[in-house]
Amino acid sequence: MSRVALVTGGTRGIGAAIAVALKEAGYKVAANYAGNDEKAKIFEAETGIPVFKWDVSSYEACVEGIASVQAALGPIDVLVNNAGITRDAMFHKMTPEQWNDVIGTNLTGLFNVTHPVWTGMRDRNFGRVINISSINGQKGQMGQANYSAAKAGDLGFTKALAQEGAAKGITVNAICPGYIGTEMVRAVPEKVLNERILPQIPVGRLGEPEEIARIVVFLASDDAGFITGSTISANGGQFFV
Ligand code: CAA
């Protein structure tokens, strides 16, 4: 029987690459998304991966959405917490709304999505939780006090939950992508991207979403059963922990 994987924010960017790679690796995959119906429809038609719409910043929506995924595909064995947003602003210009939106999706979202699947993973003595954090949670980034705080919080969440899951066959790991060539990074002002960010990446290019997806496929596999509580950096040499 194929294992079931849920990828949040799974219809675009890094999440879409992860969903496709897991499908190619033999998983039954569900892709969650929050807003962009048009992109989600195209993704579903092109990949055959079913899409499920809900907002990960709402606990109630997560409980309901996960119930519909499990009704359609079966119990979730692999959870990839990938959904994330940016609301970049220098701190002196950052609004409480920009702070709360990013914390709500990028940090509280991990609680909201993981909590409803956790008991089932414990009961079945197997689970994989893979959290997509960020280089900017490791090093901090000007213009991203909200995002850096949330992504650093994701790493603490990963390490705490790994300890709770270990005796129950559940591994919990984080991946910290650097700057990957997605819409999110391409939304950075071109001058900042070209003059400030690219020169800081020793390999001299943005990463590809598939380079993150391949790490997820490995962490989800039985081969990775001894890896838990880890943070895997994939950032082209931009930052060493
Ligand atoms: N690295 C280095 N310097 C940066 C920078 C960065 N990432 N972002 C901004 N700066 C510099 C600018 O070059 C500028 O310097 P100068 O005055 O010397 O030219 C200064 O900071 C102020 O920037 P702006 O003039 O752009 O100020 P602003 O108020 O108009 O905008 C900002 C500020 C919204 C933060 C905008 O600069 C911005 O969007 N910067 C990019 C921030 C960033 O790196 N976001 C990452 C998004 S990708 C992501 O989050 C995915 C991931 O996980 C890696």
Side-chain angles (χ1 to χ4, degrees):
M1 270 278 284
S2 308
R3 286 182 174 147
V4 174
L6 168 64
V7 184
T8 67
T11 61
R12 293 194 287 144
I14 294 174
I18 292 170
V20 168
L22 286 169
K23 186 182 180 201
E24 284 171 358
Y27 293 84
K28 284 198 277 180
V29 181
N32 148 273
Y33 74 103
N36 194 327
D37 293 315
E38 198 190 323
K39 283 270 169 63
K41 270 197 197 122
I42 294 169
F43 172 84
E44 190 171 46
E46 282 179 358
T47 64
I49 295 170
V51 299
F52 295 82
K53 182 177 183 177
W54 78 84
D55 178 351
V56 301
S57 71
S58 157
Y59 185 75
E60 291 70 28
C62 288
V63 169
E64 208 176 297
I66 285 164
S68 53
V69 170
Q70 299 204 125
L73 301 185
I76 292 164
D77 304 296
V78 176
L79 169 62
V80 185
N81 282 312
N82 166 79
I85 59 171
T86 52
R87 297 287 183 268
D88 293 357
M90 299 304 254
F91 187 65
H92 61 281
K93 297 183 195 167
M94 188 174 285
T95 63
E97 192 184 10
Q98 288 173 320
W99 173 267
N100 288 328
D101 283 354
V102 170
I103 298 295
T105 297
N106 298 10
L107 179 57
T108 310
L110 268 61
F111 174 84
N112 293 344
V113 181
T114 310
H115 197 256
V117 304
W118 188 250
T119 301
M121 287 180 174
R122 281 170 53 88
D123 290 346
R124 293 187 304 278
N125 270 298
F126 180 84
R128 295 280 188 265
V129 178
I130 300 158
N131 300 320
I132 308 301
S133 175
S134 166
I135 184 175
N136 292 343
Q138 296 173 300
K139 74 172 185 59
Q141 172 58 52
M142 62 190 296
Q144 288 200 307
N146 49 4
Y147 186 91
S148 299
K151 293 293 185 178
D154 293 343
L155 298 180
F157 174 78
T158 300
K159 291 171 193 171
L161 209 56
Q163 295 178 45
E164 295 193 21
K168 292 285 183 186
I170 308 169
T171 67
V172 186
N173 290 290
I175 300 171
C176 284
Y179 284 74
I180 309 297
T182 61
E183 282 172 53
M184 183 184 276
V185 167
R186 300 206 186 274
V188 169
E190 209 178 327
K191 195 170 178 302
V192 173
L193 190 60
N194 291 334
E195 291 175 18
R196 299 288 194 154
I197 294 171
L198 275 170
Q200 294 172 7
I201 305 175
V203 303
R205 64 172 175 86
L206 298 176
E208 299 290 338
E210 292 72 20
E211 292 178 300
I212 305 305
R214 288 193 288 271
I215 306 171
V216 172
V217 171
F218 173 64
L219 288 174
S221 72
D222 287 331
D223 288 342
F226 201 57
I227 303 175
T228 194
S230 291
T231 299
I232 299 187
S233 300
N235 60 35
Q238 189 182 347
F239 184 71
F240 302 136
V241 184

